[in-house]
Amino acid sequence: MRFALIGLGAAGRSHLQVLASMPEVELVGIADLNPHYVTELQEQHHVPLATTNPQELIAHPAVEVVAIAAGDRAHHPLVMAAAAAGKHVVCEKPIATEVAAAREMVAAMQAAGRLFCITFNNRAESVNRRVREVARSGCLGNLRMVRLVGLMAAPDNRLIRERLGERAAYQRLLNICQDGKNAMFDCGVHSFDFARYLTGSEFARIEAMGYNLRGLAYPDHGVALCAMENGIFVLIEKGFDYAFEAKDYKEYVRYEVLGDAGSLAWDLDTQTLRVYSATETLQEPLPHGGKGDVREAIYRGFIESVQTGQLLPWLASGEDGLKATEAALRAVDSMLAK
C-alpha cells in the first residue's frame, strides 16, 4: 500500500522508521517544513519524493494513505486537504486542539468515503490489551473504579536542560505545554480514549483539578474524576513535572481496575500484572512494549482495514479521536475554572 508521511520531527521519525521497515508499505514520499529534515531523511531512506510542501504530497496520484505526524495544530488543515483529495488518513493524536475542528475533520473524511484512524497507542500496546482483557473477562465482577496514572518527566527537565540548553528546553516546554495545552490534554487523550475502550461506556461527568508550577496558561499536573454512563468511575492523573530535578529520567505509570469481586494492578516499575479475584491470584510478568511495535501494529491493522473497506473494531476512528478530545478539553476547562 502506498503511503506518504507528513511531519519528520521526533514522532515523525519514529513513524518513518516503522513505515520504511514494513514490506507491505511502499513509502512514496515524505514532507516537512524543515528542508534539512527532508533532505537528510530522503537520502537515508531512499524515498522517491521529498518536499517542504505537504499539499504537493497529498495531491500526488500515487499516494493512497496519508500518515500525519506533524504538530497538533497542523492536523486540521492536513486532514481536510487529504479528504478533499480522496485519501485515507492515519493521524497522530490528538485529532485536533479544538472540538469544532475535530468535528469538521470527521465530517470531511466521512463525506469523502475514506478511512480515518487516530493512533491511540493504548489500543495496540500489549499491557493495555491484557488489562482490558482481564477487566472485561468477568473475573473482577462488576467494575466500579478504574485508575489510569501517567506521570512523565517534564519537557524541560534537568537532563533536557543540560543537553539542549535553557532556551531550547524552554521552547520545547512551550511547544508541548502551551501549544499542546498540557499533559491532561496532550497525553491525556490517550487515557480518555482508553477509559471509553476499557469500560465500553461514554463520559457522563468530568470534574478535574490541577496546579500550575511554571506559570503557563494551563496547569502542569492534573487529576480528573470521570463518571461513565454505566456507573463506573475513572480517575485519570497526568503530569509533566514528575521527577523534575531528578538525576535520572523517571516516569510513573500505573493502571488499576477495581470490581466488586476482585482487582487488578500493573505498574511500569515492576512490569507485573497482579490479579486478585474470587477464583485466582495471578502474578504475571507483563513487559511494556516499545512505540515502534505499537505503531507497526496500528499501521498493519489499518492496511487490513483499507483492504476490507472497514476500520477494524480495535482501531480508534476519527469519531473516537473526537470523543477523547472533547473529554480532555472538558477536564482542562474544569481545572481552569477552579
Side-chain angles (χ1 to χ4, degrees):
M1 192 161 291
R2 299 187 300 275
F3 276 73
L5 173 65
I6 300 174
L8 301 174
R13 288 173 185 244
S14 174
H15 283 267
L16 178 57
Q17 291 284 352
V18 170
L19 289 170
S21 69
M22 295 176 65
E24 58 268 68
V25 169
E26 178 186 346
L27 192 57
V28 175
I30 56 176
D32 193 277
L33 298 180
N34 186 320
H36 174 70
Y37 289 175
V38 170
T39 302
E40 172 196 359
L41 294 171
Q42 180 183 30
E43 293 175 356
Q44 183 177 335
H45 292 278
H46 309 290
V47 182
L49 177 61
T51 177
T52 56
N53 181 1
Q55 302 297 333
E56 176 187 351
L57 198 55
I58 292 171
H60 197 287
V63 173
E64 297 176 274
V65 180
V66 177
I68 298 173
D72 297 351
R73 295 185 183 278
H75 293 178
H76 175 261
L78 292 174
V79 170
M80 296 301 290
K87 306 299 171 71
H88 302 289
V89 174
V90 178
C91 183
E92 260 291 354
K93 63 77 192 171
I95 182 175
T97 55
E98 304 299 337
V99 171
R103 287 178 179 152
E104 188 176 359
M105 294 156 69
V106 171
M109 289 299 295
Q110 289 175 343
R114 293 296 181 263
L115 299 189
F116 187 22
C117 174
I118 308 301
T119 59
F120 283 129
N121 296 342
N122 287 348
R123 293 185 176 227
E125 213 286 321
S126 57
V127 170
N128 300 78
R129 285 190 167 196
R130 181 66 174 135
V131 166
R132 181 178 184 270
E133 177 186 39
V134 173
R136 298 185 67 144
S137 70
C139 72
L140 306 182
N142 297 306
L143 302 187
R144 301 300 188 193
M145 184 81 194
V146 176
R147 298 185 183 122
L148 305 173
V149 180
L151 308 182
M152 291 73 66
D156 59 338
N157 68 78
R158 173 180 169 180
L159 299 181
I160 294 294
R161 297 198 306 275
E162 290 174 355
R163 192 175 80 221
L164 300 181
E166 292 288 341
R167 179 179 296 181
Y170 186 69
Q171 185 57 53
R172 187 171 182 267
L173 172 71
L174 295 181
N175 292 343
I176 296 175
C177 294
Q178 184 165 290
D179 294 344
K181 292 186 169 63
N182 61 359
M184 185 62 78
F185 182 78
D186 184 72
C187 289
V189 286
H190 279 300
S191 296
F192 286 104
D193 176 70
F194 189 56
R196 293 180 59 245
Y197 188 54
L198 189 153
T199 64
S201 185
E202 302 295 341
F203 296 98
R205 183 178 178 183
I206 298 174
E207 295 286 343
M209 295 182 71
Y211 63 77
N212 196 316
L213 179 69
R214 296 171 187 79
L216 299 176
Y218 302 99
D220 301 282
H221 190 113
V223 179
L225 180 59
C226 315
M228 309 304 289
E229 290 179 355
N230 62 5
I232 300 172
F233 283 163
V234 178
L235 184 144
I236 295 173
E237 183 175 3
K238 289 289 179 181
F240 272 146
D241 57 6
Y242 187 67
F244 181 66
E245 294 292 345
K247 177 177 178 293
D248 296 313
Y249 184 90
K250 184 71 177 74
E251 293 187 354
Y252 183 81
V253 179
R254 185 173 179 85
Y255 307 131
E256 294 178 309
V257 181
L258 311 179
D260 56 15
S263 66
L264 71 78
W266 180 93
D267 67 80
L268 184 61
D269 289 338
T270 65
Q271 301 195 47
T272 298
L273 179 68
R274 296 178 174 83
V275 179
Y276 298 90
S277 72
T279 57
E280 65 176 341
T281 298
L282 181 66
Q283 305 279 328
E284 175 185 319
L286 188 57
H288 190 270
K291 287 185 178 179
D293 293 341
V294 169
R295 285 172 175 150
E296 183 174 335
I298 291 173
Y299 278 122
R300 188 158 283 120
F302 189 75
I303 290 170
E304 182 181 343
S305 299
V306 173
Q307 290 169 339
T308 60
Q310 186 173 359
L311 203 65
L312 294 178
W314 63 269
L315 288 171
S317 66
E319 185 71 23
D320 292 321
L322 167 61
K323 290 182 177 180
T325 293
E326 287 177 329
L329 288 176
R330 284 169 63 186
V332 170
D333 287 343
S334 180
M335 291 160 63
L336 291 173
K338 297 178 177 61

